[in-house]
Amino acid sequence: MKFIDERLENYCRDMSSAPAEYLSELDRETHLRVLSPVMLSGHLQGRFLSMISKLISPGKVLEIGTYTGYSALCMAEGLKEGGELHTIEVNDELEPFIRQFWDKSPYSHLLHLHIGDASKVIAELEGDFDLVFIDAGKKDYPLYFDLIIDKVSSGGVILADNVLWSGKVLEEKVDEETEALVSFSKKVLEDIRVEVVVLPIRDGISVIRKL
């Protein structure tokens, strides 16, 4: 499902700042060499992640779901001096591809890749995170929120991707992933520790600020 006219989406992309060349190359190579390239954040969402990171100027970022490393590189653009970004990926076969493009960026020394089950890795990481991006298994979104909320600094921001799930969240009969995403959104909305706004960027991004 397209939430806005494709021409308008392209216009938004064209009127947004261009990504670095290594990001454009990473985009191209992901589409050529990796399964499910639709999972890549891409130009418009990548510039959104970069902008949010630059506005926050985080000292510590956590990403749940690295994929090929595009979104991590975008958020790294806003890290304050001495900052670091931790990102978790369950598929160890992607690591060489990820590092290949990280090494082409000026941020490789700030990025820490953790291969493994996110629920286990999160438990081992120390807070406080100023920015968190959730973009992994949709059925685990409620769990990830519970695991990270106490590790997020006051005023910190959690971004959750795919919360509209191609419009399936509006359907009466839903699958497990859709049900989990709806439960996640309701859970966040009812949590007095945070405030939230859902934006129809790409497949929906939930912007959650810890009070």
Side-chain angles (χ1 to χ4, degrees), residues 64 122 132 134 140-152 157-160 183-196 206 208-210:
I64 306 172
I122 292 169
V132 176
I134 304 174
D140 291 323
Y141 272 33
L143 171 63
Y144 295 147
F145 180 80
D146 287 338
L147 291 173
I148 65 173
I149 187 61
D150 290 334
K151 295 177 180 282
V152 176
V157 172
I158 302 169
L159 303 173
S183 296
F184 167 77
S185 293
K186 290 180 178 178
K187 178 186 184 73
V188 170
L189 183 62
E190 295 169 358
D191 195 312
I192 62 173
R193 295 171 294 180
V194 300
E195 59 181 347
V196 58
S206 185
I208 305 156
R209 177 178 174 270
K210 186 174 179 180

PDB file of all heavy atoms in Angstrom, residues 64 122 132 134 140-152 157-160 183-196 206 208-210:
ATOM      1  N   ILE A  64      18.258  -1.699  16.749  1.00  0.00           N
ATOM      2  CA  ILE A  64      17.871  -3.109  16.802  1.00  0.00           C
ATOM      3  C   ILE A  64      17.452  -3.514  15.399  1.00  0.00           C
ATOM      4  O   ILE A  64      16.372  -3.173  14.933  1.00  0.00           O
ATOM      5  CB  ILE A  64      16.726  -3.329  17.808  1.00  0.00           C
ATOM      6  CG1 ILE A  64      17.097  -2.770  19.182  1.00  0.00           C
ATOM      7  CG2 ILE A  64      16.386  -4.811  17.915  1.00  0.00           C
ATOM      8  CD1 ILE A  64      15.951  -2.766  20.174  1.00  0.00           C
ATOM      9  N   ILE A 122      20.686  -6.869  24.192  1.00  0.00           N
ATOM     10  CA  ILE A 122      20.211  -5.671  24.890  1.00  0.00           C
ATOM     11  C   ILE A 122      20.449  -5.796  26.388  1.00  0.00           C
ATOM     12  O   ILE A 122      20.854  -4.833  27.051  1.00  0.00           O
ATOM     13  CB  ILE A 122      18.717  -5.435  24.607  1.00  0.00           C
ATOM     14  CG1 ILE A 122      18.501  -5.058  23.140  1.00  0.00           C
ATOM     15  CG2 ILE A 122      18.161  -4.322  25.503  1.00  0.00           C
ATOM     16  CD1 ILE A 122      17.048  -5.070  22.710  1.00  0.00           C
ATOM     17  N   VAL A 132      17.202   5.497  20.024  1.00  0.00           N
ATOM     18  CA  VAL A 132      17.052   4.069  19.743  1.00  0.00           C
ATOM     19  C   VAL A 132      16.215   3.926  18.473  1.00  0.00           C
ATOM     20  O   VAL A 132      15.206   4.613  18.307  1.00  0.00           O
ATOM     21  CB  VAL A 132      16.352   3.339  20.912  1.00  0.00           C
ATOM     22  CG1 VAL A 132      16.119   1.869  20.552  1.00  0.00           C
ATOM     23  CG2 VAL A 132      17.166   3.457  22.192  1.00  0.00           C
ATOM     24  N   ILE A 134      14.239   0.943  16.394  1.00  0.00           N
ATOM     25  CA  ILE A 134      13.771  -0.440  16.369  1.00  0.00           C
ATOM     26  C   ILE A 134      13.323  -0.782  14.949  1.00  0.00           C
ATOM     27  O   ILE A 134      12.391  -0.180  14.420  1.00  0.00           O
ATOM     28  CB  ILE A 134      12.594  -0.656  17.342  1.00  0.00           C
ATOM     29  CG1 ILE A 134      12.972  -0.237  18.767  1.00  0.00           C
ATOM     30  CG2 ILE A 134      12.153  -2.120  17.323  1.00  0.00           C
ATOM     31  CD1 ILE A 134      11.802  -0.298  19.744  1.00  0.00           C
ATOM     32  N   ASP A 140       8.384  -8.973  17.969  1.00  0.00           N
ATOM     33  CA  ASP A 140       9.123  -8.701  19.204  1.00  0.00           C
ATOM     34  C   ASP A 140       9.156  -7.223  19.585  1.00  0.00           C
ATOM     35  O   ASP A 140       9.817  -6.853  20.563  1.00  0.00           O
ATOM     36  CB  ASP A 140      10.559  -9.221  19.076  1.00  0.00           C
ATOM     37  CG  ASP A 140      10.620 -10.739  19.044  1.00  0.00           C
ATOM     38  OD1 ASP A 140       9.835 -11.365  19.763  1.00  0.00           O
ATOM     39  OD2 ASP A 140      11.453 -11.282  18.297  1.00  0.00           O
ATOM     40  N   TYR A 141       8.463  -6.372  18.846  1.00  0.00           N
ATOM     41  CA  TYR A 141       8.477  -4.945  19.169  1.00  0.00           C
ATOM     42  C   TYR A 141       8.049  -4.654  20.616  1.00  0.00           C
ATOM     43  O   TYR A 141       8.704  -3.872  21.320  1.00  0.00           O
ATOM     44  CB  TYR A 141       7.591  -4.164  18.191  1.00  0.00           C
ATOM     45  CG  TYR A 141       8.295  -3.694  16.933  1.00  0.00           C
ATOM     46  CD1 TYR A 141       9.317  -4.437  16.351  1.00  0.00           C
ATOM     47  CD2 TYR A 141       7.924  -2.510  16.314  1.00  0.00           C
ATOM     48  CE1 TYR A 141       9.942  -4.010  15.185  1.00  0.00           C
ATOM     49  CE2 TYR A 141       8.551  -2.069  15.152  1.00  0.00           C
ATOM     50  CZ  TYR A 141       9.550  -2.823  14.587  1.00  0.00           C
ATOM     51  OH  TYR A 141      10.170  -2.385  13.452  1.00  0.00           O
ATOM     52  N   PRO A 142       6.938  -5.249  21.112  1.00  0.00           N
ATOM     53  CA  PRO A 142       6.564  -4.984  22.507  1.00  0.00           C
ATOM     54  C   PRO A 142       7.661  -5.401  23.489  1.00  0.00           C
ATOM     55  O   PRO A 142       7.929  -4.699  24.476  1.00  0.00           O
ATOM     56  CB  PRO A 142       5.289  -5.815  22.699  1.00  0.00           C
ATOM     57  CG  PRO A 142       4.713  -5.924  21.316  1.00  0.00           C
ATOM     58  CD  PRO A 142       5.919  -6.071  20.420  1.00  0.00           C
ATOM     59  N   LEU A 143       8.314  -6.529  23.210  1.00  0.00           N
ATOM     60  CA  LEU A 143       9.406  -6.996  24.061  1.00  0.00           C
ATOM     61  C   LEU A 143      10.578  -6.028  24.020  1.00  0.00           C
ATOM     62  O   LEU A 143      11.147  -5.678  25.069  1.00  0.00           O
ATOM     63  CB  LEU A 143       9.864  -8.386  23.614  1.00  0.00           C
ATOM     64  CG  LEU A 143      11.139  -8.923  24.269  1.00  0.00           C
ATOM     65  CD1 LEU A 143      10.951  -9.093  25.772  1.00  0.00           C
ATOM     66  CD2 LEU A 143      11.556 -10.250  23.624  1.00  0.00           C
ATOM     67  N   TYR A 144      10.952  -5.589  22.825  1.00  0.00           N
ATOM     68  CA  TYR A 144      12.074  -4.665  22.710  1.00  0.00           C
ATOM     69  C   TYR A 144      11.812  -3.375  23.495  1.00  0.00           C
ATOM     70  O   TYR A 144      12.712  -2.840  24.153  1.00  0.00           O
ATOM     71  CB  TYR A 144      12.351  -4.324  21.240  1.00  0.00           C
ATOM     72  CG  TYR A 144      12.807  -5.488  20.408  1.00  0.00           C
ATOM     73  CD1 TYR A 144      12.476  -5.585  19.054  1.00  0.00           C
ATOM     74  CD2 TYR A 144      13.567  -6.513  20.952  1.00  0.00           C
ATOM     75  CE1 TYR A 144      12.895  -6.653  18.277  1.00  0.00           C
ATOM     76  CE2 TYR A 144      13.998  -7.590  20.181  1.00  0.00           C
ATOM     77  CZ  TYR A 144      13.649  -7.654  18.853  1.00  0.00           C
ATOM     78  OH  TYR A 144      14.072  -8.714  18.076  1.00  0.00           O
ATOM     79  N   PHE A 145      10.582  -2.881  23.421  1.00  0.00           N
ATOM     80  CA  PHE A 145      10.245  -1.668  24.164  1.00  0.00           C
ATOM     81  C   PHE A 145      10.458  -1.884  25.660  1.00  0.00           C
ATOM     82  O   PHE A 145      11.062  -1.039  26.339  1.00  0.00           O
ATOM     83  CB  PHE A 145       8.800  -1.261  23.887  1.00  0.00           C
ATOM     84  CG  PHE A 145       8.374  -0.020  24.619  1.00  0.00           C
ATOM     85  CD1 PHE A 145       8.722   1.241  24.149  1.00  0.00           C
ATOM     86  CD2 PHE A 145       7.633  -0.109  25.790  1.00  0.00           C
ATOM     87  CE1 PHE A 145       8.341   2.388  24.835  1.00  0.00           C
ATOM     88  CE2 PHE A 145       7.237   1.029  26.477  1.00  0.00           C
ATOM     89  CZ  PHE A 145       7.594   2.280  25.993  1.00  0.00           C
ATOM     90  N   ASP A 146       9.988  -2.994  26.170  1.00  0.00           N
ATOM     91  CA  ASP A 146      10.146  -3.291  27.595  1.00  0.00           C
ATOM     92  C   ASP A 146      11.614  -3.405  27.988  1.00  0.00           C
ATOM     93  O   ASP A 146      12.014  -2.981  29.084  1.00  0.00           O
ATOM     94  CB  ASP A 146       9.416  -4.589  27.962  1.00  0.00           C
ATOM     95  CG  ASP A 146       7.904  -4.426  27.971  1.00  0.00           C
ATOM     96  OD1 ASP A 146       7.431  -3.282  28.118  1.00  0.00           O
ATOM     97  OD2 ASP A 146       7.199  -5.447  27.823  1.00  0.00           O
ATOM     98  N   LEU A 147      12.418  -3.964  27.096  1.00  0.00           N
ATOM     99  CA  LEU A 147      13.833  -4.174  27.398  1.00  0.00           C
ATOM    100  C   LEU A 147      14.648  -2.883  27.374  1.00  0.00           C
ATOM    101  O   LEU A 147      15.641  -2.758  28.106  1.00  0.00           O
ATOM    102  CB  LEU A 147      14.440  -5.176  26.413  1.00  0.00           C
ATOM    103  CG  LEU A 147      13.977  -6.634  26.539  1.00  0.00           C
ATOM    104  CD1 LEU A 147      14.531  -7.465  25.386  1.00  0.00           C
ATOM    105  CD2 LEU A 147      14.432  -7.224  27.869  1.00  0.00           C
ATOM    106  N   ILE A 148      14.234  -1.930  26.546  1.00  0.00           N
ATOM    107  CA  ILE A 148      15.073  -0.742  26.373  1.00  0.00           C
ATOM    108  C   ILE A 148      14.597   0.486  27.137  1.00  0.00           C
ATOM    109  O   ILE A 148      15.405   1.390  27.389  1.00  0.00           O
ATOM    110  CB  ILE A 148      15.192  -0.368  24.876  1.00  0.00           C
ATOM    111  CG1 ILE A 148      13.831   0.042  24.311  1.00  0.00           C
ATOM    112  CG2 ILE A 148      15.840  -1.485  24.082  1.00  0.00           C
ATOM    113  CD1 ILE A 148      13.886   0.576  22.901  1.00  0.00           C
ATOM    114  N   ILE A 149      13.329   0.543  27.527  1.00  0.00           N
ATOM    115  CA  ILE A 149      12.799   1.794  28.058  1.00  0.00           C
ATOM    116  C   ILE A 149      13.598   2.296  29.262  1.00  0.00           C
ATOM    117  O   ILE A 149      13.819   3.497  29.407  1.00  0.00           O
ATOM    118  CB  ILE A 149      11.289   1.648  28.404  1.00  0.00           C
ATOM    119  CG1 ILE A 149      10.690   2.998  28.788  1.00  0.00           C
ATOM    120  CG2 ILE A 149      11.071   0.591  29.461  1.00  0.00           C
ATOM    121  CD1 ILE A 149      10.754   4.054  27.714  1.00  0.00           C
ATOM    122  N   ASP A 150      14.049   1.400  30.124  1.00  0.00           N
ATOM    123  CA  ASP A 150      14.821   1.830  31.288  1.00  0.00           C
ATOM    124  C   ASP A 150      16.270   2.144  30.946  1.00  0.00           C
ATOM    125  O   ASP A 150      17.013   2.667  31.792  1.00  0.00           O
ATOM    126  CB  ASP A 150      14.772   0.754  32.381  1.00  0.00           C
ATOM    127  CG  ASP A 150      13.402   0.635  33.025  1.00  0.00           C
ATOM    128  OD1 ASP A 150      12.655   1.637  33.021  1.00  0.00           O
ATOM    129  OD2 ASP A 150      13.066  -0.463  33.515  1.00  0.00           O
ATOM    130  N   LYS A 151      16.668   1.829  29.721  1.00  0.00           N
ATOM    131  CA  LYS A 151      18.028   2.130  29.266  1.00  0.00           C
ATOM    132  C   LYS A 151      18.082   3.403  28.429  1.00  0.00           C
ATOM    133  O   LYS A 151      19.139   3.775  27.919  1.00  0.00           O
ATOM    134  CB  LYS A 151      18.594   0.951  28.452  1.00  0.00           C
ATOM    135  CG  LYS A 151      18.797  -0.332  29.256  1.00  0.00           C
ATOM    136  CD  LYS A 151      19.284  -1.461  28.343  1.00  0.00           C
ATOM    137  CE  LYS A 151      19.501  -2.757  29.130  1.00  0.00           C
ATOM    138  NZ  LYS A 151      20.762  -2.733  29.882  1.00  0.00           N
ATOM    139  N   VAL A 152      16.925   4.059  28.270  1.00  0.00           N
ATOM    140  CA  VAL A 152      16.848   5.306  27.499  1.00  0.00           C
ATOM    141  C   VAL A 152      16.923   6.488  28.458  1.00  0.00           C
ATOM    142  O   VAL A 152      16.257   6.497  29.491  1.00  0.00           O
ATOM    143  CB  VAL A 152      15.541   5.357  26.676  1.00  0.00           C
ATOM    144  CG1 VAL A 152      15.418   6.692  25.947  1.00  0.00           C
ATOM    145  CG2 VAL A 152      15.503   4.203  25.678  1.00  0.00           C
ATOM    146  N   VAL A 157      14.904   9.568  22.608  1.00  0.00           N
ATOM    147  CA  VAL A 157      13.909   9.261  21.582  1.00  0.00           C
ATOM    148  C   VAL A 157      14.064   7.823  21.092  1.00  0.00           C
ATOM    149  O   VAL A 157      15.179   7.354  20.833  1.00  0.00           O
ATOM    150  CB  VAL A 157      14.038  10.229  20.387  1.00  0.00           C
ATOM    151  CG1 VAL A 157      13.132   9.800  19.234  1.00  0.00           C
ATOM    152  CG2 VAL A 157      13.689  11.649  20.822  1.00  0.00           C
ATOM    153  N   ILE A 158      12.930   7.137  20.990  1.00  0.00           N
ATOM    154  CA  ILE A 158      12.863   5.809  20.388  1.00  0.00           C
ATOM    155  C   ILE A 158      12.110   5.940  19.064  1.00  0.00           C
ATOM    156  O   ILE A 158      11.011   6.501  19.032  1.00  0.00           O
ATOM    157  CB  ILE A 158      12.116   4.814  21.297  1.00  0.00           C
ATOM    158  CG1 ILE A 158      12.794   4.702  22.661  1.00  0.00           C
ATOM    159  CG2 ILE A 158      12.030   3.436  20.623  1.00  0.00           C
ATOM    160  CD1 ILE A 158      11.956   3.953  23.687  1.00  0.00           C
ATOM    161  N   LEU A 159      12.686   5.436  18.004  1.00  0.00           N
ATOM    162  CA  LEU A 159      12.032   5.398  16.702  1.00  0.00           C
ATOM    163  C   LEU A 159      11.711   3.938  16.380  1.00  0.00           C
ATOM    164  O   LEU A 159      12.581   3.076  16.519  1.00  0.00           O
ATOM    165  CB  LEU A 159      12.933   5.976  15.613  1.00  0.00           C
ATOM    166  CG  LEU A 159      13.436   7.409  15.817  1.00  0.00           C
ATOM    167  CD1 LEU A 159      14.457   7.756  14.737  1.00  0.00           C
ATOM    168  CD2 LEU A 159      12.281   8.383  15.780  1.00  0.00           C
ATOM    169  N   ALA A 160      10.483   3.669  15.981  1.00  0.00           N
ATOM    170  CA  ALA A 160      10.089   2.302  15.611  1.00  0.00           C
ATOM    171  C   ALA A 160       9.574   2.303  14.179  1.00  0.00           C
ATOM    172  O   ALA A 160       8.637   3.038  13.848  1.00  0.00           O
ATOM    173  CB  ALA A 160       9.023   1.771  16.568  1.00  0.00           C
ATOM    174  N   SER A 183      -0.428  -3.973  18.931  1.00  0.00           N
ATOM    175  CA  SER A 183      -0.245  -4.061  20.379  1.00  0.00           C
ATOM    176  C   SER A 183       0.870  -3.144  20.844  1.00  0.00           C
ATOM    177  O   SER A 183       0.759  -2.491  21.890  1.00  0.00           O
ATOM    178  CB  SER A 183       0.062  -5.503  20.787  1.00  0.00           C
ATOM    179  OG  SER A 183      -1.021  -6.360  20.507  1.00  0.00           O
ATOM    180  N   PHE A 184       1.934  -3.100  20.065  1.00  0.00           N
ATOM    181  CA  PHE A 184       3.053  -2.217  20.387  1.00  0.00           C
ATOM    182  C   PHE A 184       2.606  -0.761  20.414  1.00  0.00           C
ATOM    183  O   PHE A 184       2.892  -0.022  21.362  1.00  0.00           O
ATOM    184  CB  PHE A 184       4.169  -2.405  19.364  1.00  0.00           C
ATOM    185  CG  PHE A 184       5.240  -1.348  19.413  1.00  0.00           C
ATOM    186  CD1 PHE A 184       6.209  -1.369  20.394  1.00  0.00           C
ATOM    187  CD2 PHE A 184       5.258  -0.320  18.472  1.00  0.00           C
ATOM    188  CE1 PHE A 184       7.190  -0.390  20.447  1.00  0.00           C
ATOM    189  CE2 PHE A 184       6.226   0.661  18.517  1.00  0.00           C
ATOM    190  CZ  PHE A 184       7.200   0.628  19.504  1.00  0.00           C
ATOM    191  N   SER A 185       1.902  -0.334  19.375  1.00  0.00           N
ATOM    192  CA  SER A 185       1.464   1.062  19.299  1.00  0.00           C
ATOM    193  C   SER A 185       0.528   1.422  20.447  1.00  0.00           C
ATOM    194  O   SER A 185       0.622   2.508  21.036  1.00  0.00           O
ATOM    195  CB  SER A 185       0.793   1.333  17.950  1.00  0.00           C
ATOM    196  OG  SER A 185       1.735   1.250  16.899  1.00  0.00           O
ATOM    197  N   LYS A 186      -0.377   0.515  20.787  1.00  0.00           N
ATOM    198  CA  LYS A 186      -1.287   0.762  21.907  1.00  0.00           C
ATOM    199  C   LYS A 186      -0.524   0.802  23.221  1.00  0.00           C
ATOM    200  O   LYS A 186      -0.808   1.639  24.097  1.00  0.00           O
ATOM    201  CB  LYS A 186      -2.363  -0.320  21.949  1.00  0.00           C
ATOM    202  CG  LYS A 186      -3.372  -0.241  20.807  1.00  0.00           C
ATOM    203  CD  LYS A 186      -4.408  -1.351  20.914  1.00  0.00           C
ATOM    204  CE  LYS A 186      -5.452  -1.245  19.807  1.00  0.00           C
ATOM    205  NZ  LYS A 186      -6.453  -2.358  19.882  1.00  0.00           N
ATOM    206  N   LYS A 187       0.425  -0.089  23.369  1.00  0.00           N
ATOM    207  CA  LYS A 187       1.241  -0.164  24.579  1.00  0.00           C
ATOM    208  C   LYS A 187       1.994   1.145  24.808  1.00  0.00           C
ATOM    209  O   LYS A 187       2.004   1.691  25.923  1.00  0.00           O
ATOM    210  CB  LYS A 187       2.233  -1.326  24.427  1.00  0.00           C
ATOM    211  CG  LYS A 187       3.213  -1.532  25.577  1.00  0.00           C
ATOM    212  CD  LYS A 187       4.196  -2.623  25.199  1.00  0.00           C
ATOM    213  CE  LYS A 187       5.131  -2.962  26.322  1.00  0.00           C
ATOM    214  NZ  LYS A 187       4.480  -3.724  27.402  1.00  0.00           N
ATOM    215  N   VAL A 188       2.602   1.655  23.741  1.00  0.00           N
ATOM    216  CA  VAL A 188       3.352   2.901  23.840  1.00  0.00           C
ATOM    217  C   VAL A 188       2.421   4.074  24.157  1.00  0.00           C
ATOM    218  O   VAL A 188       2.726   4.927  24.997  1.00  0.00           O
ATOM    219  CB  VAL A 188       4.124   3.157  22.527  1.00  0.00           C
ATOM    220  CG1 VAL A 188       4.724   4.558  22.517  1.00  0.00           C
ATOM    221  CG2 VAL A 188       5.218   2.108  22.335  1.00  0.00           C
ATOM    222  N   LEU A 189       1.278   4.114  23.474  1.00  0.00           N
ATOM    223  CA  LEU A 189       0.323   5.205  23.669  1.00  0.00           C
ATOM    224  C   LEU A 189      -0.156   5.278  25.115  1.00  0.00           C
ATOM    225  O   LEU A 189      -0.379   6.371  25.652  1.00  0.00           O
ATOM    226  CB  LEU A 189      -0.871   5.024  22.730  1.00  0.00           C
ATOM    227  CG  LEU A 189      -1.940   6.114  22.745  1.00  0.00           C
ATOM    228  CD1 LEU A 189      -1.352   7.457  22.300  1.00  0.00           C
ATOM    229  CD2 LEU A 189      -3.110   5.720  21.850  1.00  0.00           C
ATOM    230  N   GLU A 190      -0.298   4.134  25.760  1.00  0.00           N
ATOM    231  CA  GLU A 190      -0.834   4.083  27.116  1.00  0.00           C
ATOM    232  C   GLU A 190       0.244   4.197  28.191  1.00  0.00           C
ATOM    233  O   GLU A 190      -0.076   4.276  29.385  1.00  0.00           O
ATOM    234  CB  GLU A 190      -1.605   2.770  27.299  1.00  0.00           C
ATOM    235  CG  GLU A 190      -2.847   2.672  26.417  1.00  0.00           C
ATOM    236  CD  GLU A 190      -3.455   1.277  26.392  1.00  0.00           C
ATOM    237  OE1 GLU A 190      -2.873   0.376  27.052  1.00  0.00           O
ATOM    238  OE2 GLU A 190      -4.489   1.095  25.716  1.00  0.00           O
ATOM    239  N   ASP A 191       1.504   4.220  27.797  1.00  0.00           N
ATOM    240  CA  ASP A 191       2.603   4.271  28.761  1.00  0.00           C
ATOM    241  C   ASP A 191       2.834   5.722  29.205  1.00  0.00           C
ATOM    242  O   ASP A 191       3.164   6.585  28.381  1.00  0.00           O
ATOM    243  CB  ASP A 191       3.876   3.702  28.130  1.00  0.00           C
ATOM    244  CG  ASP A 191       4.952   3.383  29.154  1.00  0.00           C
ATOM    245  OD1 ASP A 191       5.230   4.244  30.005  1.00  0.00           O
ATOM    246  OD2 ASP A 191       5.504   2.270  29.091  1.00  0.00           O
ATOM    247  N   ILE A 192       2.678   5.992  30.480  1.00  0.00           N
ATOM    248  CA  ILE A 192       2.782   7.368  30.993  1.00  0.00           C
ATOM    249  C   ILE A 192       4.221   7.870  31.022  1.00  0.00           C
ATOM    250  O   ILE A 192       4.454   9.057  31.277  1.00  0.00           O
ATOM    251  CB  ILE A 192       2.163   7.480  32.397  1.00  0.00           C
ATOM    252  CG1 ILE A 192       2.917   6.579  33.395  1.00  0.00           C
ATOM    253  CG2 ILE A 192       0.681   7.133  32.359  1.00  0.00           C
ATOM    254  CD1 ILE A 192       2.472   6.765  34.831  1.00  0.00           C
ATOM    255  N   ARG A 193       5.160   6.999  30.736  1.00  0.00           N
ATOM    256  CA  ARG A 193       6.570   7.417  30.748  1.00  0.00           C
ATOM    257  C   ARG A 193       6.993   8.086  29.453  1.00  0.00           C
ATOM    258  O   ARG A 193       8.097   8.651  29.380  1.00  0.00           O
ATOM    259  CB  ARG A 193       7.470   6.201  30.998  1.00  0.00           C
ATOM    260  CG  ARG A 193       7.300   5.561  32.355  1.00  0.00           C
ATOM    261  CD  ARG A 193       8.040   4.247  32.446  1.00  0.00           C
ATOM    262  NE  ARG A 193       7.473   3.235  31.536  1.00  0.00           N
ATOM    263  CZ  ARG A 193       7.955   2.000  31.427  1.00  0.00           C
ATOM    264  NH1 ARG A 193       9.002   1.631  32.144  1.00  0.00           N
ATOM    265  NH2 ARG A 193       7.385   1.137  30.589  1.00  0.00           N
ATOM    266  N   VAL A 194       6.120   8.029  28.422  1.00  0.00           N
ATOM    267  CA  VAL A 194       6.521   8.527  27.110  1.00  0.00           C
ATOM    268  C   VAL A 194       5.397   9.325  26.465  1.00  0.00           C
ATOM    269  O   VAL A 194       4.236   9.268  26.890  1.00  0.00           O
ATOM    270  CB  VAL A 194       6.909   7.356  26.168  1.00  0.00           C
ATOM    271  CG1 VAL A 194       8.068   6.556  26.738  1.00  0.00           C
ATOM    272  CG2 VAL A 194       5.708   6.455  25.887  1.00  0.00           C
ATOM    273  N   GLU A 195       5.764  10.081  25.419  1.00  0.00           N
ATOM    274  CA  GLU A 195       4.790  10.680  24.509  1.00  0.00           C
ATOM    275  C   GLU A 195       5.151  10.208  23.110  1.00  0.00           C
ATOM    276  O   GLU A 195       6.309   9.895  22.832  1.00  0.00           O
ATOM    277  CB  GLU A 195       4.797  12.203  24.595  1.00  0.00           C
ATOM    278  CG  GLU A 195       6.129  12.864  24.278  1.00  0.00           C
ATOM    279  CD  GLU A 195       6.064  14.379  24.399  1.00  0.00           C
ATOM    280  OE1 GLU A 195       4.955  14.919  24.489  1.00  0.00           O
ATOM    281  OE2 GLU A 195       7.136  15.004  24.392  1.00  0.00           O
ATOM    282  N   VAL A 196       4.152  10.140  22.218  1.00  0.00           N
ATOM    283  CA  VAL A 196       4.391   9.494  20.935  1.00  0.00           C
ATOM    284  C   VAL A 196       3.621  10.186  19.822  1.00  0.00           C
ATOM    285  O   VAL A 196       2.516  10.703  20.031  1.00  0.00           O
ATOM    286  CB  VAL A 196       3.997   7.991  21.006  1.00  0.00           C
ATOM    287  CG1 VAL A 196       2.547   7.836  21.412  1.00  0.00           C
ATOM    288  CG2 VAL A 196       4.267   7.272  19.690  1.00  0.00           C
ATOM    289  N   SER A 206       7.072   5.397  14.290  1.00  0.00           N
ATOM    290  CA  SER A 206       6.600   5.879  15.581  1.00  0.00           C
ATOM    291  C   SER A 206       7.737   6.638  16.248  1.00  0.00           C
ATOM    292  O   SER A 206       8.841   6.094  16.404  1.00  0.00           O
ATOM    293  CB  SER A 206       6.154   4.704  16.457  1.00  0.00           C
ATOM    294  OG  SER A 206       5.598   5.148  17.659  1.00  0.00           O
ATOM    295  N   ILE A 208       8.884   8.241  19.605  1.00  0.00           N
ATOM    296  CA  ILE A 208       8.541   8.106  21.021  1.00  0.00           C
ATOM    297  C   ILE A 208       9.588   8.848  21.854  1.00  0.00           C
ATOM    298  O   ILE A 208      10.785   8.565  21.749  1.00  0.00           O
ATOM    299  CB  ILE A 208       8.534   6.615  21.433  1.00  0.00           C
ATOM    300  CG1 ILE A 208       7.592   5.811  20.513  1.00  0.00           C
ATOM    301  CG2 ILE A 208       8.145   6.450  22.897  1.00  0.00           C
ATOM    302  CD1 ILE A 208       7.933   4.344  20.434  1.00  0.00           C
ATOM    303  N   ARG A 209       9.128   9.782  22.663  1.00  0.00           N
ATOM    304  CA  ARG A 209      10.044  10.549  23.513  1.00  0.00           C
ATOM    305  C   ARG A 209       9.829  10.171  24.965  1.00  0.00           C
ATOM    306  O   ARG A 209       8.703  10.206  25.465  1.00  0.00           O
ATOM    307  CB  ARG A 209       9.816  12.052  23.337  1.00  0.00           C
ATOM    308  CG  ARG A 209      10.672  12.928  24.236  1.00  0.00           C
ATOM    309  CD  ARG A 209      10.410  14.389  23.972  1.00  0.00           C
ATOM    310  NE  ARG A 209      11.112  15.234  24.915  1.00  0.00           N
ATOM    311  CZ  ARG A 209      10.610  15.650  26.098  1.00  0.00           C
ATOM    312  NH1 ARG A 209       9.376  15.296  26.444  1.00  0.00           N
ATOM    313  NH2 ARG A 209      11.314  16.408  26.910  1.00  0.00           N
ATOM    314  N   LYS A 210      10.914   9.807  25.634  1.00  0.00           N
ATOM    315  CA  LYS A 210      10.818   9.466  27.048  1.00  0.00           C
ATOM    316  C   LYS A 210      10.758  10.742  27.875  1.00  0.00           C
ATOM    317  O   LYS A 210      11.570  11.642  27.704  1.00  0.00           O
ATOM    318  CB  LYS A 210      12.001   8.622  27.486  1.00  0.00           C
ATOM    319  CG  LYS A 210      11.896   8.111  28.921  1.00  0.00           C
ATOM    320  CD  LYS A 210      13.018   7.156  29.268  1.00  0.00           C
ATOM    321  CE  LYS A 210      12.901   6.688  30.713  1.00  0.00           C
ATOM    322  NZ  LYS A 210      13.985   5.748  31.080  1.00  0.00           N
TER     323      LYS A 210
END
